[in-house]
Every structure is written in structure tokens, then in C-alpha cells.
């Protein structure tokens, strides 16, 4: 079927229950003698549509299914070169039951008066940060380790995928006359460039890619109401002290101690708000104050998991039933409905180790306990009633469990879980991954949703039998007397709103300072692999391969942040690689990535420059125009536009009904609106120096109108008090002609100003208001008048 392509054209795509649909578009089929290349496809499209390359430009997008099993969800992927076409064909015919090449084409007529700009000229028109992002990746053998999707196949294409991304951006800017070249244009028109607005075009945002079509952040920014994600994790089996001899060499003692102290409940509202800001394109959270992510340092410090060691992947050589029988002493009832080991069966058979158990029975129970740790907390199954059994062949060999990098595998699994969950918008969508790590990490970094820790009760390290039994950073969140703050019902809207308002000084960028680590007396495993925290080797867990990007969050390590960070594609093709039917050859399929992990020491970033705040501000300016940082939209409209009420009785009833059902009213969109408008006024005020009287009067009118708008947006309760005192535009225009004469009279005879005490109330209030406005303008623009009006005095008659 790779020789037949369906072409759709002549209209716009529509969004249906299963993603993108073609609707009433014109459909035509094209047969090829052999699998076509990209150029052959485009030539055939031109011929089929009766167009000429000299007069028309053709843009192509392919439709593919990213759903799983019976659930189908279609998205569009751009096709603009041989590599993107090749990847699209592979995605359609590899691991999906929707084996049909469907291409949507859009045509546009080229202007006849102006020639099409060549690629070098367009590159020169790009900002420096975009040109830097367009730099192709270096050879991994030269120590760069910036791998691209081409590494999935043996034949690596030479074109970097970011080229096509920027090419689309350039063509869009060229067609629009280089739209948005001034950073403040969107702000001045009342729209933030990448803010919370459904009308904002994010195609010019370099950090927003193909995943945005179904991303939760896009839905929230468009005003869609989403529900919280449903977290999936399982408490482990009952701990037995006889298991310690196997847990210590495995590097799992820190996790076991946290579980023994009592696991906290997962705050689904908090983790859902975090996932909304996760971007699969960069594997980072896009916060208003910059990118931030969970790193190998966090995994080691919070959970005490080993980072060094082999990749957690192996080719299965025998069936799981045989493995269960050999290493657990018994096998579960046959169940071929879904892969995994039933939690209920494991608990019934291995929850408590007999007191008089022999050594082999203790080993069997220890394996079951480790499986409950690994399969229930680190790699939880989405079903909620089964343990992930992929790692069981590695767990079976108790002597060699510690030879694997469980920390990197945990991070890979969490990355993939968030990449999947951030694109789920239906009710009761699941969230897997190590949510204990995600929640502890959030508590360490952000004040949002963090419980108050009254007095941590760490164990006395002098009484411990082994240094490996010392606590990890995560233990302090379960041994202390923690109380939750009284957030407004701890609701999802509240956390989304708070993350929208997160500022730089609210983030704990370096929670693992040396002085703090010494006072906690942490286990050696927390810091023994610190030399690997900045590696750029891929993270591997059986069928999952995830790109690790510490170069994007160097501030978390107290180091210099390059601006913009080097781009490394997180690979759409790798994200499509899911377990499907249980395979046994994942080690062979991902051999190239496993080999890169085995030499992870060679891919460590060598950066010695310390963090520089001025440099980070440069990065932040680039970052804020490269992504979406505002998700909150008005839940309740106040109906105020330019000081006038445009509400209807129906709107009032609907808003009142919605307000009665809200647990929390987000205010982030109001604060963003106020700050944007005040920023515009501040810039305009700075430019008023030396302006004419008429320009100053016009500026005063804009200030007055903006203040009225802000009062209405922030509450509107005092709007009736100032509406009568604010003249309309015609009144101000009529007074502008006589205003200059009044000022001249005031300068000539300042002593003739009437006494304020003799003025009536309303008149005095009106005069005083205008006097204050004029005084502020005069002080701002540094009026050149030799005689200035006395502060606090009324305006002249």
C-alpha cells in the first residue's frame, strides 16, 4: 500500500471525535510504480491538480493514527522534505492498523510581481536565535550526543528535522510580510504573543511542535474545560527486615524506607496542572519563568536510585510463566486478556513472609516485594490492577539487580507517561509514571500545593547498621509532620492559575546545596553518581527511549544557560514506539541507544561557567516569545468593554449559574491583562518627552480610558463611582482647544488660582482629578515650562 496515496484538497480540515477529519474535501488517488520519494509525490500532486511550480506553491501534511488499540486518534504531520516523508511512511506502516497514506495539500498562488526569496535570503531575515536553532546536530562520535530521529534506522538521513520546522516558519512569515517582527505588537493590541488566547498563532513559537494539536495546554488556552487526570500507582507489599540484604546492593533501600514511613496520597490536581505544562518537544515544563524539568539529579537525591549501570532492557529468552514458576515458586492463573501480573494475586500469595521461612522462600518473597516496588511505584501499569512485568527477568537475579540504572529507567518511564498524558483531554484520562517522584519534585521546587513541614523526624544515623540505610531527600516529606495549606478546595483551577502566575523568585532552583545535603546526612547513593547528572545519553526502559535534555535547564545545576539552548529533537517516531504486543527483542531494536547509554560518561556536558542572571534574562526574553506560557482564560466574563456594559440578561443568568458551580475563580488572566496594559502605558509615557500639548492630552485620555477598563476587569464594583466623572472622548476633544490658553494664563498669573476651599464638592473633585493627571504627566515628560503648577492646587478656570 506504500505505492498508493490518497490526496485531499480544496478546503479546510475539521476536528472530529477521533481527531482530524477530512470532511467534504475533494479526494483523489495516485498510484505509483514504486514507493514514491518526496519529490515524486509533489510532482504527482502538481500534475494531478493541474498546477505549475512556477505559479503555485504546494504544502503537504500527512494524517496518521496516534491512538492505541481500538481507540483511534488522528493528527496531521507536516511533510516538506525526504526525511519527513520517510518518517511519515514508517509511522503509518509500523505498529498501527491504519495502513493508508493520506495527504492533505494546500495550494497558494505565488505573487507575480516579486520573485520567491531564496533560502539564504530567508535565513538572513531570521532572528539570531532562530538561526542558532537551525544548526544541524554534531556527530555523536565527536562527543555531542545530540541524536535525532534518524538514529532509529540504519540509514541516517543528513537533513536535520529542525530545518523543515524552521522552513515552515519562514514561509509563513514571508507570506504574512514578516508578521510579528516587533515583539510588542501583539501586546499593544491586547493579545499576548504566546498567551492564553485561542486566537494566538503558535506556528511562530519555536518550542511548540506537532504535539500541540491535541495538547491540554492548547485546549486550556482556548477556554476549554478539562478535568483532572486519574493517577495510577500502587502501594508495595508489606516490608520484612529480611529483605534488606537484597535491597541494599540493589540500590532500592531509599525507596523502601520512604514506603515504610508511609506514602502520601497523590495530589491529582497538582500533578494534572504540572502535566498541562509538560512539552514533549523539549521534555521540560514550560513555566512563565523559564524551562524546568526533572533530572537525574532529582531522581538520585529524592528516591536514592542508582544512575550508573546498564540500561534497563533485556531480550526475553523464556516465557513469563516459566520465570514466575522458577523464581516465585508458583505461577498465577492463566490470563491472556492483558499483559501484567495481577496485583490481587501477588498480595494474596506474597504480602507476608512466614516467620519460619527458609532462605529460598525469603528470596521468593523478596522478589515479589521488589516487583511491587518497581512495578507499582516506579513503572506503574495504566490498568491499575496489574504490575508491569517487563523488569521481572532482571529482578529474578537478586545478585545483579544493582548493576542496572533504575534511576534513568524511572525517569524515562515518567517522561513517556507525561508525554502521553499531556495529550489526553477526555474525562477520566489516566496518568502513570513515578508520581511519587513528580510530587516530591514539585514540593521541593514550587510553593504551589506544597504542605507545611513542621518538624522532620529523621532517623538517628549513628544507630543505623549500614550507611546505605541513611535517608534520602524524599524521606523528609513523609517523616515530618506535614499539613496541607488551605488552598481553595485544592482544586485544579487553583493550581493552574498559580502556575500561570509563577515568578522567578518563587522557584527553588537549587534545592540540593552542599550545606543542606550535609545537614540531612543523606545516603551515599544520593550523590555517588553526580558525575552523570549532566549526561546527554538517551534514557532507556525496554520499549521506551527518551531524550534527556539537561542543556535546557542548566540553571538547576547552578551553571551558565546557553541562549538559545541547542535543539535536540525528542523524536516523534520514538514517542510512537509503544509496547503493543509483548515483544522479546527490545534490546536488539534499541541497540544504538543502549550503546550510547553504555558510554554515557563520554556524553557529559562540560560546563564550568557559573550561573549568570543577566545571561538568563536574555534566555528568558527568547523563551517567552518561543512558547506558550499562559494557560488561564476567563471562566466568568465581567462583560466590560471600554467602560461600557454589553451584558445581556441571558449572559447574566449563564454566568451566575457557572459561578455557583465554581470552586475557585482563576484570576491569572486578569493579572496578565493588567500587567500588559500597564506595560504599554509605561512605554508610552517614556516616549512622551518633548511631545506637543495635543499629544499629551491624547495620552491622558488613553490613561483615563485604560484605568476605567482595568477597574472594570478587576471587579467593577467602583465603576459606577468614576463613570460619571470620566468625560467621553468628544468632551475631552472639545476641551483640548482651550487647554493651551488656560495653561498660558496659569503661567502668567499663578496668584489668581482660586482657593480650593471655596469650590463645591463635585466641581472640586473634578478639577482635582484633572489637576492630578496633569501634574503626573508634567512630572513624567519634564515639561519645559518655566513656571510649573503648584502640586495639590486646583486647575485654573
Amino acid at each position: 500500500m506504500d505505492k498508493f496515496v490518497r490526496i485531499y484538497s480544496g478546503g479546510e480540515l475539521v476536528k472530529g471525535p477521533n481527531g482530524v477529519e477530512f470532511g467534504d474535501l475533494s479526494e483523489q488517488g495516485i498510484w505509483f510504480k514504486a514507493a514514491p520519494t518526496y519529490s515524486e509525490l509533489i510532482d504527482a500532486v502538481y500534475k494531478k491538480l493541474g498546477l505549475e511550480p512556477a505559479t503555485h506553491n504546494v504544502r503537504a501534511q500527512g494524517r496518521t493514527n496516534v491512538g492505541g488499540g481500538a481507540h483511534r486518534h488522528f493528527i496531521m504531520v507536516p511533510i516538506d522534505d525526504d526525511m519527513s516523508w520517510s518518517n511519515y511512511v514508517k509511522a503509518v506502516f509500523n505498529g498501527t492498523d491504519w495502513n493508508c497514506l493520506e495527504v492533505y495539500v494546500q495550494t497558494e498562488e505565488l505573487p507575480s510581481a516579486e520573485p520567491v526569496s531564496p533560502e539564504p535570503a530567508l535565513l538572513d531575515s531570521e532572528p539570531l536565535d532562530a538561526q542558532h536553532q537551525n544548526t544541524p546536530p554534531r556527530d555523536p562520535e565527536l562527543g555531542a550526543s545530540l541524536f535525532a530521529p534518524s538514529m532509529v534506522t540504519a540509514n541516517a538521513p543528513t537533513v536535520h528535522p529542525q530545518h523543515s520546522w524552521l522552513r515552515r516558519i519562514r514561509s509563513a512569515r514571508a507570506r504574512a510580510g514578516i508578521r510579528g517582527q516587533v515583539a510588542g505588537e501583539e501586546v499593544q493590541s491586547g493579545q499576548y504573543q504566546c498567551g492564553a488566547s485561542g486566537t494566538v498563532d503558535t506556528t511562530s513559537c519555536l518550542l511548540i511542535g506537532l504535539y500541540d494539536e491535541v495538547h491540554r495546554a492548547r485546549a486550556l488556552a482556548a477556554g476549554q474545560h478539562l478535568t483532572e487526570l486519574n493517577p495510577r500507582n500502587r502501594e508495595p507489599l508489606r516490608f520484612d527486615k529480611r529483605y534488606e540484604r537484597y535491597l541494599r546492593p540493589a540500590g532500592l533501600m531509599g525507596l523502601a524506607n520512604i514506603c515504610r514511613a508511609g506514602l502520601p496520597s497523590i495530589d491529582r490536581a497538582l500533578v494534572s496542572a504540572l502535566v498541562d505544562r509538560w512539552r514533549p518537544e523539549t521534555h521540560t515544563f514550560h513555566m512563565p519563568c523559564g524551562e524546568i524539568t526533572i533530572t537525574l539529579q532529582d531522581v538520585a537525591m529524592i528516591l536514592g536510585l542508582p544512575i550508573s549501570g546498564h540500561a534497563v532492557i533485556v531480550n526475553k529468552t523464556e516465557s513469563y510463566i516459566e520465570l514466575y514458576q522458577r523464581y516465585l515458586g508458583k505461577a498465577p492463573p492463566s490470563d491472556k486478556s492483558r499483559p501484567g501480573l495481577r496485583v490481587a494475586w501477588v498480595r494474596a500469595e506474597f504480602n507476608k513472609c512466614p516467620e519460619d521461612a527458609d532462605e529460598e522462600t525469603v528470596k521468593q518473597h523478596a522478589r515479589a516485594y521488589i516487583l511491587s516496588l518497581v512495578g507499582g511505584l516506579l513503572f506503574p501499569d495504566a490498568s491499575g490492577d496489574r504490575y508491569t512485568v517487563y523488569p521481572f527477568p532482571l529482578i529474578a537475579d537478586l545478585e545483579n539487580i544493582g548493576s542496572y540504572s533504575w534511576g534513568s529507567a524511572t525517569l524515562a518511564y515518567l517522561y513517556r507517561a507525561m508525554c502521553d498524558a499531556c495529550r489526553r483531554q477526555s474525562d477520566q484520562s489516566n496518568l502513570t509514571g513515578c508520581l511519587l517522584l513528580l510530587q516530591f519534585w514539585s514540593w521541593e521546587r514550587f510553593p504551589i500545593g506544597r504542605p507545611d513541614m513542621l518538624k522532620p523526624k529523621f532517623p538517628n544515623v549513628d544507630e543505623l547498621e549500614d550507611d546505605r540505610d541513611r535517608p534520602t531527600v524524599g524521606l523528609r516529606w513523609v517523616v515530618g509532620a506535614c499539613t496541607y495549606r488551605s488552598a481553595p478546595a485544592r482544586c485544579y483551577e487553583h493550581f493552574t492559575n498559580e502556575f500561570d502566575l509563577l515568578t522567578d523568585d518563587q522557584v527553588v532552583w537549587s534545592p540540593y546545596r552542599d550545606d543542606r545535603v550535609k545537614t540531612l546526612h543523606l545516603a551515599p547513593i544520593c550523590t555517588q553518581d553526580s558525575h552523570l547528572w549532566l549526561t546527554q545519553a538517551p534514557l532507556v526502559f525496554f520499549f521506551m527511549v527518551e531524550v534527556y535534555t539537561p542543556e535546557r535547564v542548566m540553571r538547576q545545576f547552578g551553571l551558565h544557560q546557553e541562549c538559545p539552548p541547542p535543539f535536540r529533537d525528542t523524536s516523534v517516531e520514538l514517542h510512537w514506539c509503544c509496547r503493543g504486543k509483548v515483544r522479546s527483542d527490545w534490546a536488539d531494536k534499541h541497540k544504538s541507544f543502549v550503546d550510547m547509554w553504555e558510554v554515557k560518561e563520554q556524553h557529559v556536558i562540560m560546563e564550568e561557567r557559573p550561573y549568570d542572571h543577566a545571561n538568563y534574562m536574555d534566555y528568558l526574553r527568547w523563551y517567552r516569545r518561543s512558547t506558550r506560557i499562559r494557560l488561564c482564560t476567563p471562566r466568568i466574563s465581567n462583560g466590560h468593554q471600554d467602560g461600557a456594559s454589553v451584558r445581556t440578561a441571558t449572559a447574566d443568568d449563564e454566568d451566575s449559574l457557572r459561578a455557583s458551580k465554581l470552586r475557585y475563580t482563576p484570576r491569572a488572566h486578569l493579572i496578565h491583562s493588567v500587567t500588559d496594559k500597564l506595560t504599554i502605558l509605561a512605554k508610552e509615557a517614556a516616549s512622551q518627552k518633548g511631545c506637543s500639548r495635543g499629544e499629551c492630552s491624547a495620552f491622558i485620555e488613553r490613561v483615563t480610558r485604560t484605568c476605567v477598563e482595568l477597574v472594570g476587569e478587576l471587579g467593577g464594583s467602583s465603576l459606577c463611582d468614576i463613570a460619571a466623572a470620566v468625560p467621553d472622548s468628544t468632551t475631552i476633544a472639545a476641551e483640548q482647544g482651550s487647554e493651551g490658553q488656560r495653561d498660558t494664563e496659569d503661567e502668567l498669573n499663578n496668584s489668581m488660582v482660586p482657593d480650593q476651599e471655596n469650590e463645591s464638592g463635585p466641581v472640586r473633585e473634578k478639577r482635582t482629578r484633572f489637576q492630578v493627571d496633569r501634574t503626573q504627566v508634567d512630572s513624567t515628560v519634564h515639561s519645559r515650562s518655566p513656571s510649573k503648577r503648584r502640586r495639590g492646587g486646583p486647575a485654573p478656570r
Side-chain angles (χ1 to χ4, degrees):
M1 291 296 292
D2 59 349
K3 301 178 184 178
F4 179 76
V5 182
R6 291 179 180 175
I7 303 298
Y8 297 86
S9 62
E12 298 294 334
L13 299 171
V14 296
K15 187 172 183 180
N18 295 324
V20 179
E21 296 180 357
F22 294 114
D24 298 330
L25 295 180
S26 173
E27 177 185 353
Q28 303 181 67
I30 303 179
W31 281 99
F32 297 87
K33 295 181 179 180
T37 62
Y38 171 73
S39 58
E40 293 173 345
L41 172 68
I42 297 300
D43 291 342
V45 169
Y46 274 113
K47 184 177 181 181
K48 196 73 174 179
L49 300 181
L51 303 176
E52 294 293 335
T55 59
H56 288 80
N57 181 35
V58 171
R59 291 181 294 141
Q61 300 180 65
R63 189 174 80 151
T64 184
N65 177 28
V66 295
H71 175 70
R72 291 177 177 176
H73 189 88
F74 296 98
I75 66 171
M76 305 301 296
V77 295
I79 302 173
D80 44 25
D81 54 23
D82 287 329
M83 188 198 66
S84 59
W85 169 249
S86 176
N87 287 340
Y88 168 67
V89 174
K90 291 177 184 177
V92 170
F93 293 103
N94 182 21
T96 175
D97 59 349
W98 192 261
N99 298 329
C100 182
L101 298 176
E102 301 176 314
V103 177
Y104 168 64
V105 296
Q106 293 174 291
T107 62
E108 58 181 357
E109 187 175 357
L110 297 176
S112 57
E114 299 180 2
V116 179
S117 300
E119 181 72 13
L122 287 177
L123 180 61
D124 293 339
S125 67
E126 287 291 321
L128 293 178
D129 55 274
Q131 295 183 31
H132 184 88
Q133 289 279 42
N134 200 25
T135 306
R138 294 167 286 182
D139 189 344
E141 296 182 359
L142 300 179
S145 74
L146 301 177
F147 74 98
S150 59
M151 295 186 181
V152 177
T153 59
N155 299 324
T158 58
V159 181
H160 187 46
Q162 183 71 352
H163 287 189
S164 60
W165 193 356
L166 288 177
R167 201 170 293 133
R168 294 195 304 274
I169 298 173
R170 295 188 192 114
S171 61
R173 288 180 178 176
R175 291 191 302 273
I178 315 298
R179 290 178 305 188
Q181 58 184 353
V182 180
E185 289 179 357
E186 289 83 357
V187 175
Q188 292 180 7
S189 63
Q191 295 288 346
Y192 188 77
Q193 185 176 2
C194 292
S197 174
T199 61
V200 175
D201 181 15
T202 57
T203 57
S204 61
C205 296
L206 297 177
L207 299 183
I208 295 181
L210 306 178
Y211 305 97
D212 199 56
E213 178 71 22
V214 291
H215 201 288
R216 291 174 63 90
R218 178 174 181 173
L220 289 172
Q224 183 176 342
H225 177 72
L226 299 181
T227 58
E228 302 165 351
L229 296 168
N230 186 26
R232 294 291 191 181
N233 65 327
R234 286 284 179 178
E235 291 188 4
L237 302 179
R238 184 180 301 177
F239 177 83
D240 193 291
K241 197 168 181 63
R242 288 170 289 182
Y243 302 159
E244 291 181 350
R245 57 181 297 190
Y246 307 109
L247 292 171
R248 290 190 185 108
L252 300 175
M253 198 64 199
L255 180 60
N257 286 334
I258 294 176
C259 296
R260 292 171 60 189
L263 293 175
S265 59
I266 299 299
D267 191 338
R268 64 173 59 199
L270 176 61
V271 297
S272 299
L274 285 170
V275 171
D276 291 342
R277 293 190 168 273
W278 178 260
R279 297 302 310 191
E281 298 89 345
T282 59
H283 284 171
T284 56
F285 297 98
H286 286 197
M287 298 293 179
C289 50
E291 293 177 83
I292 189 169
T293 194
I294 307 174
T295 66
L296 292 175
Q297 180 191 36
D298 297 302
V299 179
M301 299 296 289
I302 293 175
L303 300 182
L305 296 177
I307 305 302
S308 61
H310 303 297
V312 179
I313 190 172
V314 68
N315 286 336
K316 185 168 66 70
T317 57
E318 54 185 320
S319 67
Y320 285 107
I321 297 298
E322 295 175 348
L323 292 173
Y324 300 151
Q325 192 67 48
R326 179 184 304 177
Y327 295 105
L328 295 180
K330 58 188 72 176
S334 178
D335 183 6
K336 298 182 180 180
S337 60
R338 295 194 309 270
L341 196 58
R342 284 192 174 276
V343 174
W345 180 82
V346 176
R347 288 191 176 278
E349 298 291 339
F350 301 99
N351 193 41
K352 184 177 181 180
C353 184
E355 295 292 340
D356 56 348
D358 56 19
E359 183 178 356
E360 184 60 29
T361 302
V362 173
K363 285 185 177 181
Q364 293 172 356
H365 281 74
R367 293 188 184 101
Y369 177 78
I370 294 176
L371 176 64
S372 69
L373 282 179
V374 173
L377 290 177
L378 302 185
F379 318 112
D381 188 84
S383 64
D385 62 347
R386 294 173 184 267
Y387 288 132
T388 304
V389 295
Y390 280 99
F392 189 77
L394 308 181
I395 296 173
D397 187 1
L398 291 175
E399 303 300 328
N400 292 319
I401 296 179
S403 63
Y404 294 95
S405 176
W406 296 104
S408 64
T410 300
L411 196 57
Y413 199 92
L414 180 58
Y415 277 9
R416 173 64 66 86
M418 292 191 293
C419 288
D420 291 341
C422 71
R423 292 174 286 161
R424 295 172 181 158
Q425 301 181 17
S426 61
D427 294 343
Q428 300 301 320
S429 296
N430 292 333
L431 172 61
T432 61
C434 186
L435 303 183
L436 183 69
L437 171 63
L438 176 61
Q439 183 160 291
F440 283 169
W441 174 84
S442 177
W443 289 352
E444 289 287 341
R445 301 279 181 174
F446 309 122
I448 302 170
R450 177 193 294 161
D452 291 326
M453 183 177 297
L454 302 182
K455 187 177 181 181
K457 300 177 182 179
F458 283 106
N460 189 347
V461 295
D462 297 331
E463 299 177 357
L464 298 176
E465 300 177 3
D466 196 305
D467 286 345
R468 291 174 291 185
D469 297 341
R470 288 186 176 186
T472 63
V473 173
L475 185 64
R476 76 190 193 100
W477 293 108
V478 294
V479 300
C482 298
T483 58
Y484 286 97
R485 295 178 181 176
S486 56
R490 302 193 61 78
C491 62
Y492 179 36
E493 291 92 344
H494 169 68
F495 291 133
T496 303
N497 184 82
E498 291 302 310
F499 278 118
D500 235 35
L501 301 174
L502 189 69
T503 58
D504 178 87
D505 59 335
Q506 292 177 319
V507 180
V508 182
W509 294 96
S510 300
Y512 315 118
R513 302 182 305 271
D514 291 340
D515 55 344
R516 182 183 181 191
V517 171
K518 292 179 180 179
T519 59
L520 294 179
H521 303 286
L522 299 179
I525 196 173
C526 292
T527 55
Q528 70 180 16
D529 298 326
S530 58
H531 62 289
L532 299 175
W533 291 345
L534 287 176
T535 184
Q536 292 179 307
L539 309 174
V540 181
F541 173 78
F542 288 93
F543 60 92
M544 298 179 181
V545 176
E546 298 297 323
V547 182
Y548 180 55
T549 58
E551 69 276 4
R552 307 195 68 89
V553 292
M554 296 297 283
R555 183 177 182 179
Q556 293 182 222
F557 300 94
L559 297 175
H560 173 83
Q561 177 65 64
E562 187 174 352
C563 176
F567 176 81
R568 288 197 294 149
D569 190 7
T570 57
S571 179
V572 173
E573 186 170 349
L574 286 178
H575 280 137
W576 284 342
C577 182
C578 57
R579 65 183 183 183
K581 294 182 179 180
V582 178
R583 298 176 60 116
S584 58
D585 60 345
W586 289 114
D588 296 334
K589 180 177 177 60
H590 294 322
K591 185 178 184 303
S592 60
F593 303 111
V594 174
D595 292 342
M596 292 178 66
W597 176 258
E598 295 302 323
V599 292
K600 48 191 169 296
E601 292 84 359
Q602 301 178 13
H603 303 302
V604 175
I605 300 175
M606 298 300 176
E607 178 61 73
E608 297 181 355
R609 290 173 294 177
Y611 165 76
D612 179 71
H613 189 69
N615 166 262
Y616 191 78
M617 291 299 102
D618 293 337
Y619 156 80
L620 205 56
R621 281 186 285 270
W622 166 84
Y623 162 79
R624 290 176 66 88
R625 65 175 182 267
S626 301
T627 187
R628 177 191 294 109
I629 60 175
R630 295 179 181 177
L631 306 187
C632 284
T633 52
R635 292 284 186 260
I636 301 178
S637 174
N638 56 28
H640 180 71
Q641 291 287 347
D642 296 331
S645 176
V646 295
R647 299 172 61 90
T648 64
T650 304
D652 288 340
D653 295 340
E654 291 178 353
D655 286 348
S656 299
L657 178 61
R658 293 184 61 192
S660 64
K661 296 181 179 180
L662 282 179
R663 292 153 53 190
Y664 176 74
T665 302
R667 291 286 180 177
H669 63 283
L670 295 179
I671 297 177
H672 293 325
S673 176
V674 171
T675 54
D676 288 346
K677 292 179 179 179
L678 291 179
T679 300
I680 295 172
L681 289 180
K683 292 181 179 180
E684 290 185 359
S687 64
Q688 295 297 316
K689 184 176 182 179
C691 66
S692 63
R693 291 287 184 184
E695 292 173 340
C696 288
S697 299
F699 175 67
I700 293 174
E701 180 182 2
R702 291 196 299 273
V703 171
T704 304
R705 292 297 173 187
T706 301
C707 291
V708 174
E709 293 176 14
L710 297 182
V711 170
E713 290 180 4
L714 292 177
S717 60
S718 60
L719 187 60
C720 59
D721 297 332
I722 64 174
V726 177
D728 56 23
S729 302
T730 57
T731 303
I732 294 181
E735 292 179 352
Q736 288 179 359
S738 60
E739 185 177 359
Q741 179 66 26
R742 290 200 305 265
D743 290 338
T744 303
E745 294 174 355
D746 175 68
E747 293 170 1
L748 294 176
N749 193 356
N750 194 30
S751 61
M752 295 180 62
V753 177
D755 188 3
Q756 184 175 353
E757 297 295 329
N758 297 328
E759 296 287 339
S760 61
V763 176
R764 182 179 62 209
E765 179 181 350
K766 183 174 181 179
R767 294 183 188 278
T768 303
R769 175 174 53 79
F770 277 106
Q771 177 62 34
V772 171
D773 289 343
R774 292 173 56 83
T775 304
Q776 291 178 347
V777 172
D778 288 343
S779 62
T780 302
V781 303
H782 304 288
S783 175
R784 292 168 292 180
S785 173
S787 175
K788 296 183 179 180
R789 184 176 297 122
R790 176 171 51 88
R791 290 183 62 85
R797 294 186 182 272

